[in-house]
Amino acid sequence: MSTKVKNSKMEATRVIMTPLGSAASNVFNMLNMSFFLVFSTEALGLNIIIMGLVMTAMRIFDGITDPVIGSIIDRTETRFGKFRPFLVIGSLIMLLASFMIYLFSFDIPQSYRMVWVILWYAVWVIGYTFMTTVNKCVLSIVTKNPKYRPLSGVAGGCYSTLLSLIMTTAIIPILQKNGGLGSQKGWMLIIISAFILHAILLVGCLFAISSSDKPEFYRQDPNKKEEKITIKDSISVLRLNQPLRMLILAASTDKIASTIQTSVMTYFYIYAVGNIDLQPIVGGISTPMSLVGAFVAGSVAVKFGCKKASLIGAVANLTLEAILIIFRPFGEGTLFVFVALMALNMLFRRFSAQNVDPMIAEIIDYHKLKTGKFMPGFIGATFSLVDKVISAFGSSIVGILMGLAGYSAGAEPTTTLYIATIAMYLGAPLLGDLASVIALKRYHITAEEYKEMYGDKAILSKKEANK
């Protein structure tokens, strides 16, 4: 095997492994998004409206910390690299906070539980910010080849799908076998399992970026420090970068819809479908379709670009959600139709969800082309800030609407809860996909700019600089 082919395969392998960092942070993020409200209400006996507002406040706090961490990343170089230290520090903080919330909250007196949970949730957010800020921008140094970057999306889509499968098929059965939704033993088993999975995924990511987390990959001249990024440079990022603004609009509306959908998922199966046992079954059957979607979406992105792949996914899901809302095939007689539509929804969701990080890498390169400034940390953080602040209201919406609909722990099904859960679980994603279609239509990088960023001359120059 020639050295060129060997290096090419190694580069592709590292691109595929890089999203393991996002998967590692998402182990706990998916747990919180899908089950924090359930844990707070059913296990700890806390008020659902208040805890929904808490989740919103914490997500806003998460967004506010992003630019701070992003600016620090852009200004930081250590003997261990620019990015890896932030992943490790963030991981340790997340683990500590998660153990304090899910394991030790049971031992806190009821009158102090809410304060305890809120404080440790805030600590968890700081750790999560460290990890996600790196995950949003590190692909920009791992590869400059536009044909390889969608591979990161394919891999990330597969990891996300498998994590979603675990959440939807394993957690509820574990709780039911160990005392129900309020079981301390059940939550202990879940959090320990999450810790093991998180650690394995993080080690894989650290290995993937180790060879690129060096000055020759993020400096124009490896022997000379880059020009300092000023506050003015940071402030002007959104104003100068129209593709970033459009991607933020598309992704943040998708994210708030996803936050609403995951937060209300268990309630949807209880009050709309009328069968909570169907939740892990639908998740298990739909997952293979999502995995297929990851590869199909990746192929489309390689051939036609990440923007077009995302647009196809948004249009398809908009159509599927409209069908589910209009016909509501939740009964036993239409179970196959319901599962099929949900499976197709998961397939096309990969078209938009897995192309965000490759598009951020593209936007980082676009900004450098236009301004001469390499700002991966701050651009990734700017995306995360707006994305998180907008999507932060998802949990509050669920908490408020469920409260107004008459929900309390163990509440019996009502027409109001039926309508509310359908509106949130299916209606919110429909509106998010509509906004994505509008935004992606305006995501514009010209063919000339793309050639200047990724043409043969540009990639050859980068390779020469790294010799």
Side-chain angles (χ1 to χ4, degrees):
M1 183 183 295
S2 68
T3 302
K4 183 178 180 181
V5 173
K6 185 177 180 180
N7 290 339
S8 179
K9 286 188 174 181
M10 180 56 69
E11 182 180 2
T13 300
R14 292 183 183 277
V15 169
I16 290 170
M17 292 181 68
T18 297
L20 289 173
S22 292
S25 61
N26 278 336
V27 170
F28 290 102
N29 184 48
M30 285 186 178
L31 177 64
N32 283 346
M33 290 298 99
S34 299
F35 292 98
F36 181 77
L37 277 179
V38 175
F39 171 77
S40 298
T41 56
E42 298 290 341
L44 302 183
L46 302 178
N47 183 278
I48 190 171
I49 295 178
I50 295 177
M51 297 315 296
L53 292 172
V54 166
M55 291 185 74
T56 294
M58 290 303 167
R59 192 158 182 83
I60 293 174
F61 174 60
D62 184 12
I64 292 172
T65 57
D66 279 330
V68 177
I69 301 300
S71 296
I72 294 173
I73 290 173
D74 287 338
R75 292 169 170 81
T76 298
E77 289 185 21
T78 73
R79 58 180 295 191
F80 302 106
K82 177 186 282 286
F83 298 99
R84 285 171 292 170
F86 292 93
L87 285 175
V88 174
I89 293 170
S91 172
L92 293 175
I93 294 173
M94 284 178 64
L95 291 173
L96 173 64
S98 297
F99 272 76
M100 290 298 175
I101 292 171
Y102 288 96
L103 293 187
F104 294 99
S105 293
F106 290 95
D107 300 320
I108 302 300
Q110 185 68 39
S111 57
Y112 296 106
R113 279 183 179 178
M114 184 171 292
V115 174
W116 173 270
V117 170
I118 291 172
L119 288 176
W120 280 111
Y121 203 119
V123 174
W124 180 88
V125 162
I126 294 172
Y128 182 65
T129 300
F130 272 88
M131 293 196 71
T132 55
T133 303
V134 172
N135 292 330
K136 285 297 178 190
C137 65
V138 73
L139 183 62
S140 64
I141 66 163
V142 174
T143 183
K144 288 291 183 184
N145 192 325
K147 296 298 182 182
Y148 281 170
R149 282 181 174 171
L151 295 179
S152 173
V154 174
C158 291
Y159 304 149
S160 178
T161 299
L162 292 174
L163 283 176
S164 179
L165 173 64
I166 292 171
M167 295 297 171
T168 55
T169 61
I171 290 182
I172 291 296
I174 288 174
L175 292 173
Q176 289 179 331
K177 290 180 181 179
N178 291 277
L181 298 178
S183 164
Q184 183 175 7
K185 179 183 177 182
W187 288 107
M188 180 181 69
L189 292 173
I190 288 167
I191 205 67
I192 292 175
S193 300
F195 159 69
I196 295 171
L197 180 58
H198 169 89
I200 293 171
L201 295 172
L202 178 61
V203 170
C205 175
L206 293 173
F207 167 77
I209 69 175
S210 60
S211 64
S212 301
D213 196 8
K214 300 173 182 178
E216 57 263 34
F217 288 88
Y218 48 77
R219 290 188 199 164
Q220 282 288 87
D221 184 350
N223 300 313
K224 185 173 69 174
K225 285 200 171 184
E226 290 282 88
E227 181 182 348
K228 195 171 184 179
I229 303 298
T230 65
I231 295 176
K232 183 179 178 181
D233 294 327
S234 300
I235 292 174
S236 63
V237 164
L238 274 176
R239 179 176 61 83
L240 297 175
N241 202 315
Q242 188 259 5
L244 177 60
R245 296 196 302 271
M246 293 302 102
L247 181 62
I248 285 173
L249 177 57
S252 61
T253 50
D254 279 345
K255 183 62 72 64
I256 188 171
S258 176
T259 303
I260 292 171
Q261 189 176 55
T262 54
S263 295
V264 81
M265 178 170 56
T266 300
Y267 302 119
F268 170 77
Y269 279 93
I270 292 174
Y271 297 111
V273 179
N275 184 0
I276 191 174
D277 293 328
L278 192 59
Q279 179 179 333
I281 294 174
V282 171
I285 295 175
S286 300
T287 296
M289 289 293 287
S290 186
L291 289 172
V292 171
F295 289 99
V296 174
S299 300
V300 173
V302 168
K303 187 171 184 179
F304 300 106
C306 294
K307 169 190 170 178
K308 185 165 288 187
S310 298
L311 190 57
I312 291 171
V315 172
N317 276 325
L318 183 68
T319 304
L320 290 168
E321 287 144 5
I323 293 172
L324 282 164
I325 291 172
I326 294 170
F327 296 103
R328 299 188 297 281
F330 308 146
E332 291 185 9
T334 55
L335 180 60
F336 175 80
V337 176
F338 174 66
V339 173
L341 291 173
M342 293 299 295
L344 286 172
N345 186 264
M346 290 186 70
L347 185 153
F348 284 108
R349 186 61 60 198
R350 297 266 50 89
F351 278 64
S352 53
Q354 72 185 40
N355 285 309
V356 170
D357 286 356
M359 290 172 79
I360 290 175
E362 181 177 281
I363 287 168
I364 290 170
D365 294 333
Y366 172 83
H367 192 80
K368 190 174 191 307
L369 174 68
K370 291 300 183 182
T371 67
K373 303 286 185 178
F374 182 59
M375 301 174 63
F378 196 83
I379 288 175
T382 299
F383 172 88
S384 293
L385 166 62
V386 182
D387 177 62
K388 289 174 182 176
V389 169
I390 292 175
S391 63
F393 294 94
S395 298
S396 288
I397 289 171
V398 173
I400 291 171
L401 291 183
M402 288 296 290
L404 292 175
Y407 170 81
S408 61
E412 293 296 320
T414 64
T415 301
T416 306
L417 286 170
Y418 175 85
I419 295 172
T421 52
I422 290 175
M424 288 185 280
Y425 191 77
L426 298 174
L430 183 146
L431 295 177
D433 286 320
L434 178 61
S436 293
V437 170
I438 295 171
L440 289 168
K441 286 284 188 179
R442 300 186 62 192
Y443 180 95
H444 184 60
I445 296 178
T446 67
E448 291 75 16
E449 291 165 341
Y450 197 83
K451 185 176 181 180
E452 192 170 350
M453 292 189 295
Y454 303 122
D456 293 337
K457 184 178 179 181
I459 293 178
L460 180 61
S461 299
K462 183 64 179 176
K463 288 181 178 177
E464 291 294 327
N466 293 335
K467 285 184 178 179

